[in-house]
Amino acid sequence: MTVRKRILVKGVVQGVGFRPHVYKLAARHALGGWVRNDAAGVTIEAEGAISAVKAFLRDLSALKPAASRIDSVVSSDLPSSGEKGFRITRSGGRAPAAAIIPADLALCPDCRRELLDPSDRRYLYPFTNCTNCGPRYTIVKSVPYDRPATTMASFDMCPSCRAEYSDPLDRRFHAQPDACPDCGPLVTLSAGGRELRGPAALETAAALLAAGRAGALQSLGGFHLACRADRPAALARLRRAKDRPHKPFAVMVPDLAAARRVCRVSPAEAAELASPRAPVMMLLRRDASAFPGVAPGLSRLGVMLAYTPLHAALFRLLSAKGCVAPLVMTSGNLRDEPICRDAAEAAARLPDAASFILYHDRPIHNRVDDSVAYFAAGEARLARRARGHVPEAIKLASGGRSVLACGADLKNAFCLTRGEEAFMSQHIGDMSEPLNRDFMRETARKLSGLLKVKPSAVAHDLHPDYASTSEAFSFPGRKVAVQHHAAHALSVAAEHGLDGPFLGVVFDGTGYGADGRTWGSEFLSFSGRRWRRAAHMRYFRLPGGDAAARELWRPAVPLLRAAFGEGWRREAGGIFSGVSASAVRTVERMLDAGVNSPETCGMGRLFDAFSFIAGVRTEATYEAQGPMEMESLARGGRAYRFEVLDGDGGLLLDPSPALRAAVADRLAGRGAGHIAASLHKGLAASAARLAARIAASDGLDTVCLSGGVFQNRALLELTVDAMERRGLRVLLNRRVPANDGGIALGQAWYVLKGYSPAE
Ligand code: ZN
Ligand code: ZN
Ligand code: FE
C-alpha cells in the first residue's frame, strides 16, 4: 500500500547537512517526494510503500548528521500523488523567522581524512569544510544563512567546488563556506618584516613553533597565542606579555590519543572533546608536574583537540619535524580585553607576545572565544559558553515578549529571548574593560539583527554601579533590576523549566544584595512569583576591600577574630608567620575603626581565607586561585562543623567552629589536603542540613544549586550527594555556566515569569 506523509522536523537542522541526509535516505528507501528548509525547520513530503516510509522515519532520527539536533518530528497523512523521484527544493523566499543559525562546528572525521591525505586536492588546506563541519556563526552576517550572507561572499567558487556544492549526494552540498586551494581563503605569515602566503606560510609557522617561538594564530572566532607547552622560556614570555603570572593556560593536542598521553580521559569526556562543539575540557592530569608553567598548582588541565583544519594541518607539520608536544593555546588578547579579530588588531595589541602572526583572509564577523567545559555530578557543564554553543537556543518552558538581559560585570554574557527561546551571547568578559563594553554593544546589535527581535524589556543586575547596568540603560524598553543571586538560582530553574516552589542555594564571590550589602552565600526560597532570603552565611568584613581578594590572609583576620574572640592572636597567630606583623596590626585597626572594610558574606571569600589558613597560599594572582589549588589538594579529611544561628532576617550559617578546627589542624601539622577536604565535606553537609530545614518549613522539595563557587567539583558533588540523601531533588546548570556567565538567563526568566521580592 502506498502512503504519502508530510513531515516537519524542528531543531538544529539547517546548515548541518540535513537535506542531503534526507535525500540519501529517500533514495535508499525508494521514496518519492521532496525536502526543503523553511521557517520552522525542515519540511519533507515522502511517498512510497508503507513499510518503506516507516523505515525512512526511523532512520531519519537514528542516522541523523552528527552536528544536527532533532527537537521534534511531526508527521501527518496526505493523499498519495504517485510521485516517484525525490527532490531537494528551494527554501522559502522570505527570511525564515524561526530558523536557527548553527553554531560553529569542529573539523569532521571525513574532512580530517582528506586534509591529511597527500593525494587529496585539499591536502593540508586550512579551510576545508563540509555540511558536517566548519565555520557558521563566526562568518554569518545576516539570515537566511546562505553564502552571500557570510564573509565567504567575496570568494567565487571554482568549477570543482561548484560541482560539489550543487550535488545533493555530495558531503559539500550547500556547504556555504565550501572552498579549496584554487578558490578559497589563504593563510599569510607575517614574521620579522617578511610575508609568506599559502603552504609556505603554514610550513614556516610550524617551523617557528617547533623551534619554541610563540605566535599569534587566527583561528575560528579570533586569535590565539600559541607556543609549545614544553618550552618554559616561551611560556614565561607569554605570561609576562599577558601579565598573567599563574592563571592556567589551555593546551591543544592533535587528537584523543595525544590527550590521553597527558590526562586521564573518561569515555564521556572523550565524547565531549571530540564532539562538533570541541570545547576546552578540564581533565585530570596524569602528572601534575609535567609542562611546568602551564597550569601551576592545579590537578586539572584545560585540553582541546585541534578543531579547525588550520590547527590539524599545523600539528601534522609539527609532527613531521619531530615535535609532538601539546601547544599552549590562549585567547589572543591582553589580560581581559576581547579576543583579537584581525591581523591589524593582533599586530597592534599583541606586540610583545607574538614573534609571528599567522592570519588569513576569511574575515571573522562574530568574535567567539573557546568554550570551557568540565564533568561534574555526572554531566558535562560549562565554565565558559562560547564557540560550538552560541547562538544555539535554549528552549524555555514558556515565553513572552522579547527580553534583553544584560548579565553581570564579571564573565559577562547577555541573553536575548524570542518566544520560548533564549539566546545567550558568547562570553563577553569583564565589563570594567571599555573594549568589552563595545564588544557587548556590538554583539547585542548583531544578535538582535540576526534574530529579528526588538526587546520590550531590559533586565540588569541590581548593582547600581555595574557597567552592565549602565549599558542596560542605553537600550530602549522597560528596565527591571534583578538581584544577582536570585538570577543565579533562576538560571537553573529556567534550564529545567521549573515552575513550582524551590530553594536556590547560591555560593558565589560577590553580588549586590537587596539590603545594599554584599551577598554571596544565599539560601533563597522561591514560591509563586515571589522570592525571599531564608538564610545566608554570617557577615564578616573585608579589610582593604579589593586588596582582600588578592591578599588572602586579610579576610582570615576578621573571620578568626570572630571565631576565637579576644584571644585570637594567642590561638591562631601562629599561622600568620608569613605575613608582616605590622600589616596584620594595620588590618586590625581598619576593622576596629570600620574603615575601608565592607561587609560581605561571599562564600568565595571564605574559601580564600581557608586557603590561607590551610597554608596553601598567602596571595593570589587570579580569581579563585587559592580555592582552586585547595580543591586540587583535597584528600581524606573529616567534616568541619558549621553552626546554624537564628538571625534577624533569617537563619545564619556560622563558620566559626570550622575555622577553629582548621587552625587546630594546621597547627597540629595536618596537611593542606586534610584541611581542604574537611572544609568541602563540612560545608556540603551543613548546606544540606540547612536546606532540608528550610525545605521542611517552606514545604518544598527541590533545590537549585548555582554560583561560581559550585564550579568546585568536589564541593558540588558532596553537596548534591548530601542533599539527595536528605530526600531533596537537586537541579544544576547544564547549558549555561554556574558562574556569572549564566546570570543573564536567570534575569530573562525573572522578567518573563514576573518574579519580584517578597515584602
Ligand atoms: Zn567536514
Ligand atoms: Zn574550489
Ligand atoms: Fe555571581
Side-chain angles (χ1 to χ4, degrees):
M1 190 184 128
T2 298
V3 294
R4 186 180 183 94
K5 287 197 184 286
R6 168 168 281 229
I7 304 154
L8 283 171
V9 189
K10 289 188 185 174
V12 181
V13 290
Q14 294 187 12
V16 291
F18 207 84
R19 286 173 304 161
H21 161 65
V22 171
Y23 184 89
K24 275 181 246 181
L25 283 184
R28 178 183 304 171
H29 297 292
L31 302 180
W34 51 261
V35 57
R36 70 159 190 244
N37 280 348
D38 56 28
V42 164
T43 300
I44 305 163
E45 286 196 13
E47 172 163 355
I50 188 159
S51 59
V53 173
K54 264 193 183 147
F56 170 81
L57 275 169
R58 184 194 60 222
D59 289 352
L60 194 64
S61 300
L63 307 175
K64 71 183 167 66
S68 65
R69 191 192 76 218
I70 295 178
D71 291 340
S72 67
V73 178
V74 178
S75 60
S76 52
D77 292 322
L78 294 174
S80 72
S81 71
E83 191 172 5
K84 292 286 179 243
F86 199 87
R87 300 167 284 136
I88 295 180
T89 69
R90 278 241 150 261
S91 315
R94 285 183 312 115
I100 292 168
I101 304 135
D104 300 284
L105 303 166
L107 182 66
C108 78
D110 289 329
C111 286
R112 183 184 302 269
R113 196 173 10 79
E114 292 173 356
L115 179 80
L116 301 179
D117 174 0
S119 69
D120 193 276
R121 74 187 187 96
R122 291 189 177 86
Y123 178 57
L124 299 187
Y125 178 59
F127 304 96
T128 183
N129 64 83
C130 72
T131 46
N132 299 315
C133 74
R136 298 287 188 273
Y137 177 55
T138 49
I139 60 165
V140 67
K141 292 169 141 175
S142 60
V143 285
Y145 171 67
D146 245 326
R147 188 167 174 119
T150 71
T151 62
M152 284 298 291
S154 59
F155 295 93
D156 280 329
M157 271 187 241
C158 70
S160 308
C161 287
R162 172 70 57 194
E164 295 164 339
Y165 183 88
S166 313
D167 175 0
L169 288 177
D170 195 281
R171 206 174 82 244
R172 294 190 169 87
F173 175 69
H174 282 207
Q176 306 305 345
D178 188 18
C180 79
D182 294 332
C183 65
L186 292 175
V187 284
T188 301
L189 177 86
S190 168
R194 275 196 326 145
E195 294 230 316
L196 292 170
R197 252 166 95 73
L202 209 57
E203 177 67 35
T204 308
L208 289 167
L209 283 171
R213 310 288 284 278
L217 308 180
Q218 184 171 0
S219 181
L220 197 57
F223 274 73
H224 280 127
L225 285 166
C227 74
R228 290 177 65 152
D230 60 351
R231 292 298 165 99
L235 281 176
R237 190 175 166 202
L238 264 190
R239 289 205 173 279
R240 270 196 306 279
K242 289 195 74 163
D243 189 13
R244 188 165 148 169
H246 306 115
K247 195 173 175 186
F249 285 142
V251 301
M252 181 182 275
V253 292
D255 48 36
L256 274 175
R260 289 198 170 98
R261 281 195 290 277
V262 183
C263 292
R264 282 183 235 280
V265 187
S266 72
E269 286 168 335
E272 186 64 22
L273 268 176
S275 73
R277 297 174 291 279
V280 174
M281 291 267 348
M282 302 307 298
L283 300 172
L284 204 55
R285 304 163 79 170
R286 291 189 182 277
D287 174 3
S289 61
F291 308 116
V294 174
L298 301 178
S299 57
R300 286 178 188 272
L301 178 65
V303 180
M304 61 185 142
L305 303 188
Y307 61 82
T308 71
L310 175 69
H311 299 132
L314 269 178
F315 275 108
R316 169 55 59 95
L317 293 168
L318 280 165
S319 79
K321 295 176 197 311
C323 169
V324 293
L327 291 179
V328 159
M329 278 287 169
T330 184
S331 302
N333 56 10
L334 287 180
R335 245 185 129 92
D336 296 318
E337 293 178 354
I339 187 166
C340 291
R341 172 169 33 192
D342 58 39
E345 273 184 17
R349 283 164 55 196
L350 307 172
D352 299 328
S355 54
F356 67 89
I357 298 177
L358 185 67
Y359 65 96
H360 59 73
D361 50 358
R362 186 184 69 202
I364 297 169
H365 187 69
N366 299 304
R367 274 179 293 204
V368 184
D369 254 301
D370 293 317
S371 291
V372 180
Y374 57 101
F375 259 81
E379 277 186 79
R381 310 195 184 278
L382 288 168
R384 183 165 70 198
R385 189 175 192 278
R387 177 181 50 77
H389 292 271
V390 179
E392 204 178 273
I394 294 168
K395 186 84 174 61
L396 301 173
S398 59
R401 295 178 68 192
S402 176
V403 178
L404 167 66
C406 292
D409 263 24
L410 288 171
K411 301 185 174 71
N412 179 269
F414 64 86
C415 178
L416 269 168
T417 71
R418 182 178 71 182
E420 295 179 358
E421 294 172 307
F423 296 86
M424 292 292 291
S425 76
Q426 63 268 45
H427 166 82
I428 301 286
D430 182 348
M431 292 289 280
S432 66
E433 168 56 55
L435 287 172
N436 285 330
R437 296 203 286 273
D438 296 343
F439 182 25
M440 186 221 175
R441 271 193 295 270
E442 168 197 314
T443 307
R445 181 171 48 74
K446 287 177 176 173
L447 203 55
S448 51
L450 285 174
L451 299 173
K452 303 192 185 303
V453 290
K454 273 203 172 55
S456 62
V458 183
H460 59 84
D461 197 277
L462 185 61
H463 201 310
D465 301 330
Y466 265 2
S468 54
T469 300
S470 55
E471 288 306 326
F473 281 85
S474 73
F475 293 98
R478 177 172 63 97
K479 308 300 181 291
V480 182
V482 185
Q483 199 280 324
H484 190 90
H485 304 100
H488 268 304
L490 284 168
S491 74
V492 180
E495 279 199 60
H496 293 269
L498 187 59
D499 209 29
F502 71 95
L503 181 68
V505 177
V506 182
F507 289 172
D508 202 25
T510 62
Y512 193 82
D515 58 359
R517 297 202 278 189
T518 301
W519 292 9
S521 53
E522 308 309 312
F523 292 71
L524 307 176
S525 183
F526 290 78
S527 180
R529 294 291 166 258
R530 294 271 188 272
W531 68 276
R532 69 178 183 92
R533 192 186 197 199
H536 59 88
M537 185 167 64
R538 219 190 52 203
Y539 284 101
F540 59 98
R541 290 190 176 274
L542 273 183
D546 285 347
R550 289 190 304 274
E551 299 178 17
L552 306 184
W553 60 272
R554 283 174 180 262
V557 175
L559 284 163
L560 293 174
R561 276 181 17 148
F564 289 98
E566 282 303 305
W568 82 277
R569 278 176 165 281
R570 193 176 60 247
E571 306 265 7
I575 64 169
F576 283 82
S577 55
V579 184
S580 95
S582 70
V584 177
R585 268 197 303 278
T586 306
V587 158
E588 283 214 85
R589 275 196 297 273
M590 284 166 87
L591 290 169
D592 290 335
V595 179
N596 190 18
S597 305
E599 280 186 309
T600 184
C601 63
M603 191 55 80
R605 301 288 84 79
L606 182 77
F607 271 70
D608 281 348
F610 262 97
S611 66
F612 167 72
I613 294 167
V616 172
R617 174 155 294 281
T618 305
E619 294 196 17
T621 66
Y622 63 90
E623 189 205 356
Q625 183 177 12
M628 282 166 68
E629 290 173 355
M630 269 210 301
E631 187 193 354
S632 289
L633 291 167
R635 209 154 279 116
R638 50 204 172 97
Y640 290 154
R641 199 168 60 81
F642 286 70
E643 212 160 348
V644 175
L645 310 170
D646 280 309
D648 302 339
L651 298 168
L652 290 179
L653 196 60
D654 181 7
S656 290
L659 288 157
R660 288 192 293 267
V663 168
D665 281 342
R666 169 83 187 279
L667 295 175
R670 290 190 192 97
H674 171 90
I675 297 173
S678 303
L679 169 65
H680 291 144
K681 289 180 179 173
L683 180 59
S686 307
R689 198 171 58 239
L690 182 49
R693 182 168 158 184
I694 300 166
S697 67
D698 286 13
L700 50 88
D701 62 1
T702 301
V703 178
C704 293
L705 297 185
S706 195
V709 173
F710 278 120
Q711 288 177 104
N712 178 325
R713 173 179 167 142
L715 179 67
L716 181 77
E717 293 181 347
L718 287 164
T719 306
V720 170
D721 198 51
M723 289 183 171
E724 286 181 347
R725 273 189 284 113
R726 288 178 178 275
L728 296 166
R729 178 169 76 122
V730 184
L731 301 177
L732 307 174
N733 291 112
R734 288 187 298 215
R735 299 190 62 196
V736 300
N739 62 41
D740 285 6
I743 280 261
L745 181 65
Q747 292 174 340
W749 189 239
Y750 189 97
V751 175
L752 285 173
K753 300 295 277 185
Y755 277 102
S756 61
E759 220 51 78

